[in-house]
């Protein structure tokens, strides 16, 4: 972009921090202060694969603690990512996830071309509300930074009306609404399944089941964050 065009762009859409809304000097996702705090918060990441719940292999690059949603930059970034389509914000996570992915590919001894990225599509209601699929955006950006191919292998059908359902029925409804899409590209490959947060793992397990049925070699969940559960008894 030439200087004049970016000058006009700044006048029309002044660059603002995705977290605090302050005007920023450049078009990065965050102002300097929020970026500094994000780097402090994310200083101790290891991002090695582990087993989640009933056996899904997952990689997460950070934690999501609902109790910190108003105070911590990382939590606020994750919440913003779902609401505004902003590539520079997605990229802050996508770069970390791409690094974790490449590290895992190397440690697992698989060839990069045998790995493939896909994502859990956003439900129709939220897709209509926000106008974009944040999982798809994240998946494409991870692909750009890692060089690992991204494909759209899963789909979504609108679930039943949720208003009259209890929590358990809602969970089943969410699982049912994820369906297999064009799965030709996942056959015999190592699938990295991208989503923002893993909490119960119900959607991820449902998606993994469909991918295994489609003949993939294995599935590893690749998430920004795992939700911190404060009430361990409910686990
Ligand atoms: Zn800020």
């Amino acid at each position: 972009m030439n200087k004049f065009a970016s000058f006009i762009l700044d006048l029309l859409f002044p660059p603002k921090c995705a977290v605090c809304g302050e005007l920023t000097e450049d078009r990065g996702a965050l102002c300097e202060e929020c970026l500094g705090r994000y780097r402090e918060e994310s200083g101790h990441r290891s991002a090695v694969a582990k087993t989640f719940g009933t056996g899904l292999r997952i990689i997460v690059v950070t934690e999501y603690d609902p109790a910190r949603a108003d105070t911590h930059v990382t939590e606020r970034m994750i919440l913003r990512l779902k609401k505004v389509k902003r590539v520079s914000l997605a990229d802050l996570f996508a770069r970390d996830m791409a690094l974790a992915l490449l590290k895992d590919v190397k440690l697992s001894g698989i060839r990069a071309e045998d790995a493939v990225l896909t994502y859990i599509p956003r439900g129709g209601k939220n897709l209509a509300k926000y106008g974009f699929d944040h999982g798809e955006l994240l998946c494409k950006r991870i692909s750009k930074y890692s060089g690992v191919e991204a494909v759209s292998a899963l789909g979504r059908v609108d679930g039943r009306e949720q208003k009259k359902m209890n929590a358990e029925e809602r969970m089943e409804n969410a699982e049912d609404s994820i369906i297999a899409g064009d799965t030709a590209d996942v056959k015999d490959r190592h699938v990295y399944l991208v989503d923002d947060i893993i909490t119960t793992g119900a959607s991820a397990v449902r998606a993994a089941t469909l991918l295994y049925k489609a003949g993939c070699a294995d599935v590893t969940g690749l998430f920004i964050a795992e939700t911190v559960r404060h009430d361990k008894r409910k686990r």
Side-chain angles (χ1 to χ4, degrees):
M1 201 181 337
N2 68 41
K3 270 188 181 168
F4 181 71
S6 70
F7 173 73
I8 295 294
L9 194 66
D10 284 356
L11 278 184
L12 293 174
F13 308 101
K16 286 182 183 167
C17 172
V19 167
C20 69
E22 288 287 313
L23 291 176
T24 60
E25 281 182 20
D26 57 47
R27 294 204 161 266
L30 306 181
C31 70
E32 251 175 58
E33 196 190 326
C34 289
L35 188 60
R37 284 178 58 193
Y38 168 61
R39 293 219 170 106
E40 264 173 43
E41 289 169 15
S42 62
H44 304 285
R45 294 178 183 180
S46 59
V48 288
K50 60 177 182 178
T51 304
F52 182 86
T54 50
L56 182 67
R57 184 174 189 268
I58 66 164
I59 299 169
V60 292
V61 295
T62 190
E63 286 182 334
Y64 177 81
D65 185 343
R68 295 193 302 232
D70 293 328
T71 53
H72 279 55
V73 169
T74 307
E75 275 76 4
R76 293 176 72 185
M77 285 167 66
I78 295 171
L79 295 175
R80 289 295 283 166
L81 182 76
K82 294 169 187 275
K83 292 179 183 163
V84 289
K85 186 175 182 180
R86 192 152 164 180
V87 173
S88 58
L89 177 60
D91 275 357
L92 284 174
F93 294 124
R95 278 191 288 258
D96 283 344
M97 293 166 89
L99 281 175
L101 164 64
L102 290 175
K103 193 169 139 192
D104 191 65
V105 165
K106 197 176 171 192
L107 284 175
S108 305
I110 61 179
R111 299 184 312 168
E113 58 265 40
D114 290 335
V116 66
L117 285 156
T118 197
Y119 60 95
I120 300 176
R122 192 166 208 176
K125 213 171 150 191
N126 279 326
L127 195 60
K129 185 174 175 187
Y130 297 110
F132 75 108
D133 188 325
H134 61 300
E136 181 184 19
L137 173 63
L138 204 54
C139 186
K140 282 183 176 166
R141 300 307 290 177
I142 298 168
S143 174
K144 177 185 148 65
Y145 288 113
S146 64
V148 172
E149 186 188 3
V151 301
S152 172
L154 299 166
R156 202 94 190 217
V157 288
D158 280 336
R160 289 179 292 132
E161 182 63 52
Q162 295 211 353
K163 274 181 191 163
K164 288 175 186 165
M165 295 180 194
N166 62 32
E168 206 169 301
E169 287 169 335
R170 280 181 195 222
M171 176 85 82
E172 277 173 22
N173 191 41
E175 287 176 57
D176 285 345
S177 72
I178 301 169
I179 56 168
D182 181 5
T183 53
D185 291 322
V186 301
K187 195 170 187 319
D188 299 327
R189 292 170 90 180
H190 303 273
V191 180
Y192 287 86
L193 177 67
V194 174
D195 204 0
D196 53 358
I197 304 176
I198 183 162
T199 304
T200 64
S203 302
V205 167
R206 162 79 181 157
T209 306
L210 293 168
L211 292 164
Y212 276 114
K213 267 188 197 161
C216 73
D218 53 51
V219 179
T220 301
L222 180 59
F223 303 92
I224 297 174
E226 178 178 357
T227 301
V228 177
R229 301 260 199 127
H230 291 286
D231 184 359
K232 301 277 183 200
R233 285 169 301 168
K234 282 185 182 166
R235 271 203 119 142

